[in-house]
Amino acid sequence: MLTLLNSNSLTITFFVTLSLSLFSALFMLHPRVPLKFVRFHVGIYGLSPLMSLLNLVTLKTNKIYGPWHLDPLAWLTALFVLTIGFVIQRYSIRYLLGDRNYRKYFALFTFTTGSASVAWLSDDLRWLMVFWGFTLLGITWLISLNKKWQAAKTAIARSGQWLTLSWLMMLLAIIWLAQATGHWQLSFVLAKDSLTNLGSWEKTGINLLMVFAVAIPAAQYPFQRWLLDSVVAPTPVSAVMHAGIVNAGGILLTRFAPLFSGDLAQIFLIVLSGFSVLLGTGMILVQVDYKRQLVGSTIAQMGFMLIQCALGAYLAAIIHAVLHGLFKSTLFLQAGSVVHHYKRTNPTTRHSPLIWNTAGGLLGLAVGFCYWINDNGTGHDFISALLLGWSVSIAWTQLVTSGHGHIGRIVGFSLIAGVTIVFNIIHAAFKDLLHGTVSEVVLPSATLLILVLFILLSGNAVVFWSTRHHSSTSFAALYLWLVRLSEPHPNSVESHPKFLVLSMSKGGNKK
C-alpha cells in the first residue's frame, strides 16, 4: 500500500511540475517580465524530466491511473522527450538571444515537448489524439515564428498541410478502431477479445491509415519535402523535431503492436520505408548543405526504424528511436560549428593491405553470427545481425584499415571495442527495463525477410555499380534524380533572406 501511495505521489508530482513549467512559459510571454526569467523557467522545466526518471526507476508494475497508461515504455518516452527539450532550451538561452521571438520560442518548446510526453502517457485514445495534435501544432508554430521571411512562409504552409493530413489519418484510424472494438481505452482495445471483433479487411484498413500517419512525420517517400523545407527554421527547432515527433512512428507502432503485427500492412511499410532508406542515403551523398545532409540521414534512419517495426523487432525500434533522437539532436545543435572543422586537404590514394580488409570482413561476420545466436536466431534477428556485422566491417575499414600507421590502427580498434561494449550495455539495459512491456509479438514471415534482403542487396548493388561508372549517362541521371528529390520547394530557398535586407535598409534610413 505504501509503495502504491509513493508511486501515485510521484505520478502526481510529475504532472504538477509539468503544469508549473507550462504556467512559467505563459508568464514569461508578458513583455514586462525580464529576460533573465528565462533561466528560471528552464530550471523549472528541468524538474519534469527528473520526475519522469524517478517514476521510471521506481515503477514496479504496469498500471492504469485514470486516463493514463503508466508503464516503463510510457515513462521512458516521457523522459526521452523532456530531456531533449530541456537540453535544447538550455542551449537556446544564448543561441536565440536577440531574436524578436525569443520568449515565444521557449514557450513553444515547452508546449510542444510537454504535449508529446503526455500523449505517450495516455491510455484514452481521445487524449492521445488531442495531445498529439497539440504536438504537431506546436512544431508548426515553431517553424512559423519568422513569418517575414518568404522561405519560412512556404515551409509553414507545406509543413502544416502534411502534418495536418497525418493527424487526420491517425484520427480516422482511431475512430474506426474505437467503433469496431467498442472501447476508447488503449488497454481494452488491444485485448485479445477486442481484436477478435475486427475483420481482416478492417484490420488492414486501420493499419494502412496508421502507416501513412506515421510515414508523414518520419518524412518517408513521397512525404520527405516538408522536412527538407523545415531547415529554414532555427537549428534548435530542427533539433526538437527529434524529441518523439519525426521518430514517433516507432513509439506509436510499438504501442499498437498487437494490432499491427501479422497484417498485410507490414509489407507495404517495408516497401515504403526500404525505398526511403535508399533515398535518404543517396541524399547524404549528393547534398552539400549540412542541415539537409542531416535531414537525409534522418529519412534513412526513420525508414530503418519502421522496417524494424514491420519485422516485429519493437524493442530494437524503441532503442533506435531514443538513441537516434539523442544523437541527431546533438548533431543539429553542433551544425553551426561545422564550418570551423573544415580543412582543405590534398586527397591521396592509399591502398590498404589485403589482410586488414579480410580481417574486417571476418570480424563483421563473427559479430553478426554471435548476435544472431545469442538472440535465439529468429528472422528479424537475422536482419539485425546482418546489419550489425555490416556496420562493424565498415567501421573497421574506416577506423582501422584506413588508419595512419600502427598508432592510428590501435586507436581505431580501441574505438570499435569501446562502442561495442557501450552498445551491449545499452541493449541489455533497455531489454531489462522494457521486459514485459515491449515484446516481439509475431515472428516475420519468410516473405518479409526476403523483401528486406532484396532491398538491402539492391541498394548495395547500386552503390557498388555507381563507384565504378562515374562517367556513365546512367550515373548522371541517378545523381540528378537524387538531387531533385533531395531539394526543398524552390520558394523555400533564398540565397540571401530579403527580410534581412529590408530590415537593414530601414535601419539605415532611420540613422
Side-chain angles (χ1 to χ4, degrees), residues 219-221 224 273-287 292-301 482 486:
Q220 300 297 280
Y221 179 84
Q224 78 279 2
S273 300
F275 183 79
S276 300
V277 169
L278 301 180
L279 176 62
T281 305
M283 289 181 181
I284 301 172
L285 299 177
V286 302
Q287 275 292 336
R292 290 187 190 127
Q293 288 179 351
L294 293 180
V295 169
S297 174
T298 294
I299 293 171
Q301 292 291 332
L482 286 172
S486 61

PDB file of all heavy atoms in Angstrom, residues 219-221 224 273-287 292-301 482 486:
ATOM      1  N   ALA A 219       8.936  11.682 -42.567  1.00  0.00           N
ATOM      2  CA  ALA A 219       9.444  12.175 -43.855  1.00  0.00           C
ATOM      3  C   ALA A 219       9.818  11.039 -44.798  1.00  0.00           C
ATOM      4  O   ALA A 219      10.809  11.118 -45.516  1.00  0.00           O
ATOM      5  CB  ALA A 219      10.642  13.101 -43.643  1.00  0.00           C
ATOM      6  N   GLN A 220       9.011   9.992 -44.807  1.00  0.00           N
ATOM      7  CA  GLN A 220       9.255   8.901 -45.743  1.00  0.00           C
ATOM      8  C   GLN A 220       8.735   9.277 -47.125  1.00  0.00           C
ATOM      9  O   GLN A 220       7.803  10.072 -47.268  1.00  0.00           O
ATOM     10  CB  GLN A 220       8.552   7.624 -45.243  1.00  0.00           C
ATOM     11  CG  GLN A 220       9.019   7.155 -43.869  1.00  0.00           C
ATOM     12  CD  GLN A 220      10.480   6.767 -43.846  1.00  0.00           C
ATOM     13  OE1 GLN A 220      10.847   5.683 -44.254  1.00  0.00           O
ATOM     14  NE2 GLN A 220      11.329   7.663 -43.351  1.00  0.00           N
ATOM     15  N   TYR A 221       9.347   8.695 -48.152  1.00  0.00           N
ATOM     16  CA  TYR A 221       8.946   8.994 -49.526  1.00  0.00           C
ATOM     17  C   TYR A 221       7.471   8.622 -49.723  1.00  0.00           C
ATOM     18  O   TYR A 221       7.044   7.553 -49.266  1.00  0.00           O
ATOM     19  CB  TYR A 221       9.811   8.199 -50.505  1.00  0.00           C
ATOM     20  CG  TYR A 221       9.448   8.423 -51.954  1.00  0.00           C
ATOM     21  CD1 TYR A 221       9.951   9.515 -52.643  1.00  0.00           C
ATOM     22  CD2 TYR A 221       8.589   7.540 -52.609  1.00  0.00           C
ATOM     23  CE1 TYR A 221       9.609   9.733 -53.975  1.00  0.00           C
ATOM     24  CE2 TYR A 221       8.237   7.757 -53.938  1.00  0.00           C
ATOM     25  CZ  TYR A 221       8.755   8.858 -54.607  1.00  0.00           C
ATOM     26  OH  TYR A 221       8.402   9.073 -55.918  1.00  0.00           O
ATOM     27  N   GLN A 224       8.856  13.488 -48.059  1.00  0.00           N
ATOM     28  CA  GLN A 224      10.107  13.960 -47.474  1.00  0.00           C
ATOM     29  C   GLN A 224      10.306  15.467 -47.596  1.00  0.00           C
ATOM     30  O   GLN A 224      11.102  16.055 -46.864  1.00  0.00           O
ATOM     31  CB  GLN A 224      11.296  13.233 -48.127  1.00  0.00           C
ATOM     32  CG  GLN A 224      11.707  13.721 -49.501  1.00  0.00           C
ATOM     33  CD  GLN A 224      10.852  13.182 -50.623  1.00  0.00           C
ATOM     34  OE1 GLN A 224       9.893  12.446 -50.387  1.00  0.00           O
ATOM     35  NE2 GLN A 224      11.189  13.529 -51.864  1.00  0.00           N
ATOM     36  N   SER A 273       9.336   2.128 -46.592  1.00  0.00           N
ATOM     37  CA  SER A 273      10.485   2.510 -45.768  1.00  0.00           C
ATOM     38  C   SER A 273      11.798   2.062 -46.397  1.00  0.00           C
ATOM     39  O   SER A 273      12.811   2.750 -46.267  1.00  0.00           O
ATOM     40  CB  SER A 273      10.339   1.920 -44.360  1.00  0.00           C
ATOM     41  OG  SER A 273       9.162   2.382 -43.736  1.00  0.00           O
ATOM     42  N   GLY A 274      11.786   0.898 -47.061  1.00  0.00           N
ATOM     43  CA  GLY A 274      13.002   0.431 -47.722  1.00  0.00           C
ATOM     44  C   GLY A 274      13.458   1.389 -48.794  1.00  0.00           C
ATOM     45  O   GLY A 274      14.656   1.716 -48.909  1.00  0.00           O
ATOM     46  N   PHE A 275      12.517   1.867 -49.596  1.00  0.00           N
ATOM     47  CA  PHE A 275      12.873   2.856 -50.613  1.00  0.00           C
ATOM     48  C   PHE A 275      13.358   4.148 -49.959  1.00  0.00           C
ATOM     49  O   PHE A 275      14.291   4.801 -50.456  1.00  0.00           O
ATOM     50  CB  PHE A 275      11.676   3.141 -51.512  1.00  0.00           C
ATOM     51  CG  PHE A 275      11.964   4.096 -52.629  1.00  0.00           C
ATOM     52  CD1 PHE A 275      12.618   3.672 -53.775  1.00  0.00           C
ATOM     53  CD2 PHE A 275      11.600   5.429 -52.526  1.00  0.00           C
ATOM     54  CE1 PHE A 275      12.901   4.561 -54.808  1.00  0.00           C
ATOM     55  CE2 PHE A 275      11.875   6.319 -53.550  1.00  0.00           C
ATOM     56  CZ  PHE A 275      12.531   5.875 -54.693  1.00  0.00           C
ATOM     57  N   SER A 276      12.757   4.534 -48.839  1.00  0.00           N
ATOM     58  CA  SER A 276      13.156   5.760 -48.135  1.00  0.00           C
ATOM     59  C   SER A 276      14.564   5.639 -47.566  1.00  0.00           C
ATOM     60  O   SER A 276      15.307   6.627 -47.523  1.00  0.00           O
ATOM     61  CB  SER A 276      12.161   6.072 -47.011  1.00  0.00           C
ATOM     62  OG  SER A 276      10.860   6.269 -47.525  1.00  0.00           O
ATOM     63  N   VAL A 277      14.933   4.440 -47.117  1.00  0.00           N
ATOM     64  CA  VAL A 277      16.301   4.222 -46.628  1.00  0.00           C
ATOM     65  C   VAL A 277      17.305   4.492 -47.745  1.00  0.00           C
ATOM     66  O   VAL A 277      18.310   5.194 -47.550  1.00  0.00           O
ATOM     67  CB  VAL A 277      16.460   2.788 -46.084  1.00  0.00           C
ATOM     68  CG1 VAL A 277      17.936   2.472 -45.836  1.00  0.00           C
ATOM     69  CG2 VAL A 277      15.666   2.604 -44.798  1.00  0.00           C
ATOM     70  N   LEU A 278      17.038   3.935 -48.930  1.00  0.00           N
ATOM     71  CA  LEU A 278      17.940   4.138 -50.065  1.00  0.00           C
ATOM     72  C   LEU A 278      17.947   5.607 -50.509  1.00  0.00           C
ATOM     73  O   LEU A 278      19.003   6.162 -50.823  1.00  0.00           O
ATOM     74  CB  LEU A 278      17.513   3.244 -51.228  1.00  0.00           C
ATOM     75  CG  LEU A 278      17.494   1.737 -50.940  1.00  0.00           C
ATOM     76  CD1 LEU A 278      17.042   0.968 -52.180  1.00  0.00           C
ATOM     77  CD2 LEU A 278      18.844   1.243 -50.473  1.00  0.00           C
ATOM     78  N   LEU A 279      16.768   6.238 -50.500  1.00  0.00           N
ATOM     79  CA  LEU A 279      16.671   7.641 -50.899  1.00  0.00           C
ATOM     80  C   LEU A 279      17.418   8.539 -49.918  1.00  0.00           C
ATOM     81  O   LEU A 279      18.177   9.432 -50.317  1.00  0.00           O
ATOM     82  CB  LEU A 279      15.204   8.056 -50.984  1.00  0.00           C
ATOM     83  CG  LEU A 279      14.923   9.524 -51.305  1.00  0.00           C
ATOM     84  CD1 LEU A 279      15.474   9.875 -52.681  1.00  0.00           C
ATOM     85  CD2 LEU A 279      13.426   9.820 -51.226  1.00  0.00           C
ATOM     86  N   GLY A 280      17.196   8.327 -48.610  1.00  0.00           N
ATOM     87  CA  GLY A 280      17.876   9.142 -47.606  1.00  0.00           C
ATOM     88  C   GLY A 280      19.384   8.999 -47.678  1.00  0.00           C
ATOM     89  O   GLY A 280      20.127   9.983 -47.529  1.00  0.00           O
ATOM     90  N   THR A 281      19.860   7.778 -47.909  1.00  0.00           N
ATOM     91  CA  THR A 281      21.301   7.557 -48.051  1.00  0.00           C
ATOM     92  C   THR A 281      21.846   8.290 -49.268  1.00  0.00           C
ATOM     93  O   THR A 281      22.931   8.888 -49.220  1.00  0.00           O
ATOM     94  CB  THR A 281      21.593   6.055 -48.165  1.00  0.00           C
ATOM     95  OG1 THR A 281      21.020   5.377 -47.047  1.00  0.00           O
ATOM     96  CG2 THR A 281      23.090   5.796 -48.190  1.00  0.00           C
ATOM     97  N   GLY A 282      21.089   8.257 -50.371  1.00  0.00           N
ATOM     98  CA  GLY A 282      21.508   8.981 -51.563  1.00  0.00           C
ATOM     99  C   GLY A 282      21.546  10.486 -51.342  1.00  0.00           C
ATOM    100  O   GLY A 282      22.433  11.187 -51.850  1.00  0.00           O
ATOM    101  N   MET A 283      20.595  11.017 -50.553  1.00  0.00           N
ATOM    102  CA  MET A 283      20.580  12.449 -50.247  1.00  0.00           C
ATOM    103  C   MET A 283      21.857  12.884 -49.532  1.00  0.00           C
ATOM    104  O   MET A 283      22.405  13.959 -49.800  1.00  0.00           O
ATOM    105  CB  MET A 283      19.367  12.787 -49.368  1.00  0.00           C
ATOM    106  CG  MET A 283      18.041  12.726 -50.064  1.00  0.00           C
ATOM    107  SD  MET A 283      16.708  13.162 -48.926  1.00  0.00           S
ATOM    108  CE  MET A 283      15.292  12.966 -49.987  1.00  0.00           C
ATOM    109  N   ILE A 284      22.325  12.055 -48.622  1.00  0.00           N
ATOM    110  CA  ILE A 284      23.546  12.383 -47.879  1.00  0.00           C
ATOM    111  C   ILE A 284      24.722  12.525 -48.846  1.00  0.00           C
ATOM    112  O   ILE A 284      25.587  13.397 -48.667  1.00  0.00           O
ATOM    113  CB  ILE A 284      23.847  11.294 -46.836  1.00  0.00           C
ATOM    114  CG1 ILE A 284      22.676  11.144 -45.857  1.00  0.00           C
ATOM    115  CG2 ILE A 284      25.128  11.617 -46.066  1.00  0.00           C
ATOM    116  CD1 ILE A 284      22.822   9.964 -44.925  1.00  0.00           C
ATOM    117  N   LEU A 285      24.746  11.700 -49.876  1.00  0.00           N
ATOM    118  CA  LEU A 285      25.885  11.673 -50.797  1.00  0.00           C
ATOM    119  C   LEU A 285      25.874  12.831 -51.789  1.00  0.00           C
ATOM    120  O   LEU A 285      26.933  13.262 -52.245  1.00  0.00           O
ATOM    121  CB  LEU A 285      25.900  10.339 -51.555  1.00  0.00           C
ATOM    122  CG  LEU A 285      26.044   9.075 -50.693  1.00  0.00           C
ATOM    123  CD1 LEU A 285      25.959   7.837 -51.561  1.00  0.00           C
ATOM    124  CD2 LEU A 285      27.354   9.102 -49.914  1.00  0.00           C
ATOM    125  N   VAL A 286      24.689  13.346 -52.140  1.00  0.00           N
ATOM    126  CA  VAL A 286      24.625  14.371 -53.183  1.00  0.00           C
ATOM    127  C   VAL A 286      24.421  15.777 -52.637  1.00  0.00           C
ATOM    128  O   VAL A 286      24.685  16.754 -53.339  1.00  0.00           O
ATOM    129  CB  VAL A 286      23.497  14.054 -54.199  1.00  0.00           C
ATOM    130  CG1 VAL A 286      23.707  12.695 -54.821  1.00  0.00           C
ATOM    131  CG2 VAL A 286      22.114  14.137 -53.543  1.00  0.00           C
ATOM    132  N   GLN A 287      23.960  15.920 -51.405  1.00  0.00           N
ATOM    133  CA  GLN A 287      23.718  17.242 -50.841  1.00  0.00           C
ATOM    134  C   GLN A 287      24.999  17.849 -50.284  1.00  0.00           C
ATOM    135  O   GLN A 287      25.831  17.151 -49.708  1.00  0.00           O
ATOM    136  CB  GLN A 287      22.654  17.170 -49.737  1.00  0.00           C
ATOM    137  CG  GLN A 287      21.232  17.249 -50.231  1.00  0.00           C
ATOM    138  CD  GLN A 287      20.898  18.613 -50.802  1.00  0.00           C
ATOM    139  OE1 GLN A 287      21.508  19.622 -50.469  1.00  0.00           O
ATOM    140  NE2 GLN A 287      19.913  18.643 -51.698  1.00  0.00           N
ATOM    141  N   ARG A 292      20.727  19.736 -44.618  1.00  0.00           N
ATOM    142  CA  ARG A 292      19.978  18.832 -45.491  1.00  0.00           C
ATOM    143  C   ARG A 292      20.608  17.438 -45.497  1.00  0.00           C
ATOM    144  O   ARG A 292      19.920  16.437 -45.695  1.00  0.00           O
ATOM    145  CB  ARG A 292      19.895  19.399 -46.907  1.00  0.00           C
ATOM    146  CG  ARG A 292      18.988  20.629 -46.968  1.00  0.00           C
ATOM    147  CD  ARG A 292      18.752  21.113 -48.376  1.00  0.00           C
ATOM    148  NE  ARG A 292      18.092  22.406 -48.326  1.00  0.00           N
ATOM    149  CZ  ARG A 292      18.521  23.495 -48.955  1.00  0.00           C
ATOM    150  NH1 ARG A 292      19.609  23.432 -49.690  1.00  0.00           N
ATOM    151  NH2 ARG A 292      17.870  24.624 -48.847  1.00  0.00           N
ATOM    152  N   GLN A 293      21.905  17.362 -45.303  1.00  0.00           N
ATOM    153  CA  GLN A 293      22.536  16.057 -45.128  1.00  0.00           C
ATOM    154  C   GLN A 293      21.990  15.374 -43.878  1.00  0.00           C
ATOM    155  O   GLN A 293      21.722  14.166 -43.884  1.00  0.00           O
ATOM    156  CB  GLN A 293      24.049  16.213 -45.024  1.00  0.00           C
ATOM    157  CG  GLN A 293      24.744  16.566 -46.323  1.00  0.00           C
ATOM    158  CD  GLN A 293      26.235  16.731 -46.151  1.00  0.00           C
ATOM    159  OE1 GLN A 293      26.755  16.746 -45.042  1.00  0.00           O
ATOM    160  NE2 GLN A 293      26.955  16.850 -47.259  1.00  0.00           N
ATOM    161  N   LEU A 294      21.821  16.149 -42.814  1.00  0.00           N
ATOM    162  CA  LEU A 294      21.254  15.591 -41.586  1.00  0.00           C
ATOM    163  C   LEU A 294      19.810  15.149 -41.796  1.00  0.00           C
ATOM    164  O   LEU A 294      19.383  14.118 -41.256  1.00  0.00           O
ATOM    165  CB  LEU A 294      21.324  16.623 -40.449  1.00  0.00           C
ATOM    166  CG  LEU A 294      22.724  16.994 -39.952  1.00  0.00           C
ATOM    167  CD1 LEU A 294      22.635  18.022 -38.829  1.00  0.00           C
ATOM    168  CD2 LEU A 294      23.479  15.761 -39.465  1.00  0.00           C
ATOM    169  N   VAL A 295      19.058  15.908 -42.592  1.00  0.00           N
ATOM    170  CA  VAL A 295      17.681  15.512 -42.909  1.00  0.00           C
ATOM    171  C   VAL A 295      17.673  14.213 -43.698  1.00  0.00           C
ATOM    172  O   VAL A 295      16.864  13.311 -43.435  1.00  0.00           O
ATOM    173  CB  VAL A 295      16.967  16.631 -43.692  1.00  0.00           C
ATOM    174  CG1 VAL A 295      15.641  16.128 -44.247  1.00  0.00           C
ATOM    175  CG2 VAL A 295      16.724  17.836 -42.798  1.00  0.00           C
ATOM    176  N   GLY A 296      18.583  14.085 -44.668  1.00  0.00           N
ATOM    177  CA  GLY A 296      18.678  12.834 -45.418  1.00  0.00           C
ATOM    178  C   GLY A 296      19.002  11.667 -44.513  1.00  0.00           C
ATOM    179  O   GLY A 296      18.441  10.568 -44.661  1.00  0.00           O
ATOM    180  N   SER A 297      19.894  11.885 -43.559  1.00  0.00           N
ATOM    181  CA  SER A 297      20.214  10.831 -42.595  1.00  0.00           C
ATOM    182  C   SER A 297      19.001  10.459 -41.761  1.00  0.00           C
ATOM    183  O   SER A 297      18.745   9.278 -41.494  1.00  0.00           O
ATOM    184  CB  SER A 297      21.356  11.309 -41.682  1.00  0.00           C
ATOM    185  OG  SER A 297      21.595  10.380 -40.648  1.00  0.00           O
ATOM    186  N   THR A 298      18.229  11.470 -41.364  1.00  0.00           N
ATOM    187  CA  THR A 298      17.009  11.200 -40.587  1.00  0.00           C
ATOM    188  C   THR A 298      16.011  10.376 -41.390  1.00  0.00           C
ATOM    189  O   THR A 298      15.399   9.434 -40.877  1.00  0.00           O
ATOM    190  CB  THR A 298      16.365  12.524 -40.138  1.00  0.00           C
ATOM    191  OG1 THR A 298      17.235  13.191 -39.218  1.00  0.00           O
ATOM    192  CG2 THR A 298      15.018  12.281 -39.466  1.00  0.00           C
ATOM    193  N   ILE A 299      15.827  10.710 -42.657  1.00  0.00           N
ATOM    194  CA  ILE A 299      14.902   9.955 -43.509  1.00  0.00           C
ATOM    195  C   ILE A 299      15.319   8.494 -43.590  1.00  0.00           C
ATOM    196  O   ILE A 299      14.490   7.582 -43.466  1.00  0.00           O
ATOM    197  CB  ILE A 299      14.850  10.590 -44.912  1.00  0.00           C
ATOM    198  CG1 ILE A 299      14.210  11.978 -44.839  1.00  0.00           C
ATOM    199  CG2 ILE A 299      14.076   9.702 -45.881  1.00  0.00           C
ATOM    200  CD1 ILE A 299      14.310  12.764 -46.135  1.00  0.00           C
ATOM    201  N   ALA A 300      16.615   8.254 -43.788  1.00  0.00           N
ATOM    202  CA  ALA A 300      17.103   6.877 -43.879  1.00  0.00           C
ATOM    203  C   ALA A 300      16.959   6.150 -42.548  1.00  0.00           C
ATOM    204  O   ALA A 300      16.509   4.996 -42.498  1.00  0.00           O
ATOM    205  CB  ALA A 300      18.567   6.876 -44.327  1.00  0.00           C
ATOM    206  N   GLN A 301      17.311   6.813 -41.463  1.00  0.00           N
ATOM    207  CA  GLN A 301      17.241   6.177 -40.146  1.00  0.00           C
ATOM    208  C   GLN A 301      15.801   5.889 -39.725  1.00  0.00           C
ATOM    209  O   GLN A 301      15.512   4.839 -39.148  1.00  0.00           O
ATOM    210  CB  GLN A 301      17.917   7.069 -39.100  1.00  0.00           C
ATOM    211  CG  GLN A 301      19.413   7.198 -39.255  1.00  0.00           C
ATOM    212  CD  GLN A 301      20.128   5.903 -38.925  1.00  0.00           C
ATOM    213  OE1 GLN A 301      19.652   5.101 -38.144  1.00  0.00           O
ATOM    214  NE2 GLN A 301      21.280   5.698 -39.541  1.00  0.00           N
ATOM    215  N   LEU A 482      18.501  12.085 -57.634  1.00  0.00           N
ATOM    216  CA  LEU A 482      18.650  12.206 -56.184  1.00  0.00           C
ATOM    217  C   LEU A 482      18.699  13.673 -55.762  1.00  0.00           C
ATOM    218  O   LEU A 482      18.127  14.049 -54.732  1.00  0.00           O
ATOM    219  CB  LEU A 482      19.921  11.477 -55.726  1.00  0.00           C
ATOM    220  CG  LEU A 482      19.857   9.957 -55.721  1.00  0.00           C
ATOM    221  CD1 LEU A 482      21.239   9.363 -55.442  1.00  0.00           C
ATOM    222  CD2 LEU A 482      18.859   9.451 -54.676  1.00  0.00           C
ATOM    223  N   SER A 486      16.006  15.505 -53.281  1.00  0.00           N
ATOM    224  CA  SER A 486      16.536  15.983 -52.004  1.00  0.00           C
ATOM    225  C   SER A 486      16.520  17.499 -51.881  1.00  0.00           C
ATOM    226  O   SER A 486      16.970  18.043 -50.878  1.00  0.00           O
ATOM    227  CB  SER A 486      17.973  15.490 -51.810  1.00  0.00           C
ATOM    228  OG  SER A 486      18.828  15.979 -52.825  1.00  0.00           O
TER     229      SER A 486
END
